[in-house]
Amino acid sequence: MDPLEDVLALLDATSQVSAGMVAGGRWAVRFPPPAGAKFNAVRRGSCWLRVDGLPDPVHLAEGDCFLLTRPLAFTLASNPEGPVEPAYPIFAAAGDGVARAGDGDDVFLIGGAFTFTERACALLLDSLPPVIHVPAATPEAATVRWALGELDAELRGRPLGATLVAERLAIVMLVRMLRLHLARDPGPAAGWLAGLADPTVAAALREMHARPAHPWTVVELARVVAVSRSSLAARFKDVVGKGPLEYLTEWRIELAADRLRRGDDTVATIARAVGYSSESALSVAFKRTTGHSPRAYRSQLTRAG
């Protein structure tokens, strides 16, 4: 099993591709903090990105894209120090699907957003830097450029099913940007994402994700990944920030929460499926992790829906 695919499958991620933006001359557009993660890509021209709380602006060349992983306001501009206008009015006026800023069409950007549940944000985004910048000149960025080209074509041509295809392509972009980040920065902050970049930890993660209901011990995990028990325990704690069995418990809770959201299985059935001997055992672990019992968690979702 691929832990990255597993986690993304459970994130309840939804994508929304926003209108494109054309800009020229002297311009600057300020965007409010996104609710989830935000991406933009420069299809023509170049501009600057300034993110609140970060010391330096980022220059975006043609073909560059970025992923904003925090709820931070940001500005796209021809000059990082120029006066700004709010994004909402110009996008609200984009009757043809393309917002316009400044004077001319030197720059063309496309963008979108990913929305996650609160627990998903903590699982995925908290271990990432505030901004992931993917320069077009980076050899590894070819796959992202391909997805951008396909996304651009869908938005421009608007063929049948364009919105659905564009949303799926945006998710593909998210996965590929995460891959590029891992390849470019093999030492991200502690967390499960950091574990994917460590061969020993990644092997242990794959085993736990492949058989989450198995009664794993650290000794058995270490034997499967061909290291000593002490080496695995120390390495896992150093990289992920918690021990293997603590991680396994949290992953089982994520699986249980996903089944509570998406299906109508009994709590007892879910407990057995994710590795707990009884409904009460799952309920204790679930409440300790989420603050709610499984039944209360499902009830909240029902009321919210």
Side-chain angles (χ1 to χ4, degrees), residues 197-201 230-242:
D198 182 279
T200 298
V201 175
S230 58
S231 294
L232 176 62
R235 187 65 184 158
F236 204 102
K237 181 68 178 290
D238 182 55
V239 174
V240 180
K242 61 194 69 175

Side-chain angles (χ1 to χ4, degrees), residues 56-98:
D56 300 314
V58 177
H59 185 254
L60 302 172
E62 186 171 308
D64 284 13
C65 59
F66 71 88
L67 180 70
L68 181 68
T69 67
R70 301 285 189 276
L72 301 171
F74 66 98
T75 300
L76 293 170
S78 58
N79 184 313
E81 305 301 332
V84 302
E85 61 179 318
Y88 178 77
I90 67 171
F91 277 86
D96 60 353
V98 178

Side-chain angles (χ1 to χ4, degrees), residues 214-274:
H214 182 75
W216 289 107
T217 64
V218 179
V219 171
E220 184 179 7
L221 269 175
R223 183 170 63 250
V224 171
V225 302
V227 297
S228 70
R229 179 196 180 283
S230 58
S231 294
L232 176 62
R235 187 65 184 158
F236 204 102
K237 181 68 178 290
D238 182 55
V239 174
V240 180
K242 61 194 69 175
L245 299 188
E246 183 182 358
Y247 173 87
L248 177 61
T249 294
E250 293 184 1
W251 180 241
R252 286 170 170 170
I253 297 305
E254 293 297 336
L255 292 173
D258 181 67
R259 294 185 66 149
L260 288 166
R261 288 193 301 267
R262 300 176 193 265
D264 56 4
D265 288 341
T266 66
V267 176
T269 299
I270 294 172
R272 291 191 296 272
V274 300

Side-chain angles (χ1 to χ4, degrees), residues 4-272:
L4 179 57
E5 291 182 3
D6 288 348
V7 170
L8 287 169
L10 263 62
L11 287 184
D12 277 351
T14 57
S15 65
Q16 180 179 9
V17 180
S18 63
M21 185 174 78
V22 169
R26 187 174 178 84
W27 61 276
V29 180
R30 182 171 174 80
F31 296 80
K38 169 77 175 178
F39 80 87
N40 275 100
V42 183
R43 297 297 292 163
R44 182 174 67 249
S46 65
C47 63
W48 289 88
L49 165 69
R50 179 174 285 283
V51 179
D52 284 11
L54 301 187
D56 300 314
V58 177
H59 185 254
L60 302 172
E62 186 171 308
D64 284 13
C65 59
F66 71 88
L67 180 70
L68 181 68
T69 67
R70 301 285 189 276
L72 301 171
F74 66 98
T75 300
L76 293 170
S78 58
N79 184 313
E81 305 301 332
V84 302
E85 61 179 318
Y88 178 77
I90 67 171
F91 277 86
D96 60 353
V98 178
R100 288 172 170 78
D103 183 20
D105 59 356
D106 305 327
V107 183
F108 176 59
L109 301 102
I110 58 174
F114 304 100
T115 303
F116 306 100
T117 64
E118 182 179 350
R119 289 187 56 75
C121 284
L123 187 64
L124 178 65
L125 302 184
D126 286 358
S127 62
L128 297 172
V131 177
I132 298 176
H133 175 211
V134 182
T138 305
E140 299 88 351
T143 54
V144 174
R145 289 198 297 273
W146 170 83
L148 276 172
E150 293 294 310
L151 186 58
D152 192 5
E154 293 293 328
L155 293 176
R156 285 175 177 272
R158 293 289 175 181
L160 188 65
T163 298
L164 178 62
V165 172
E167 289 174 353
R168 297 299 185 269
L169 283 167
I171 295 293
V172 169
M173 276 193 57
L174 174 63
V175 174
R176 290 181 170 176
M177 291 179 81
L178 291 175
R179 285 179 183 169
L180 292 178
H181 170 66
L182 287 172
R184 190 172 56 188
D185 181 9
W192 76 271
L193 196 60
L196 298 184
D198 182 279
T200 298
V201 175
L205 287 171
R206 284 193 295 271
E207 293 296 332
M208 288 188 284
H209 279 245
R211 293 190 289 162
H214 182 75
W216 289 107
T217 64
V218 179
V219 171
E220 184 179 7
L221 269 175
R223 183 170 63 250
V224 171
V225 302
V227 297
S228 70
R229 179 196 180 283
S230 58
S231 294
L232 176 62
R235 187 65 184 158
F236 204 102
K237 181 68 178 290
D238 182 55
V239 174
V240 180
K242 61 194 69 175
L245 299 188
E246 183 182 358
Y247 173 87
L248 177 61
T249 294
E250 293 184 1
W251 180 241
R252 286 170 170 170
I253 297 305
E254 293 297 336
L255 292 173
D258 181 67
R259 294 185 66 149
L260 288 166
R261 288 193 301 267
R262 300 176 193 265
D264 56 4
D265 288 341
T266 66
V267 176
T269 299
I270 294 172
R272 291 191 296 272

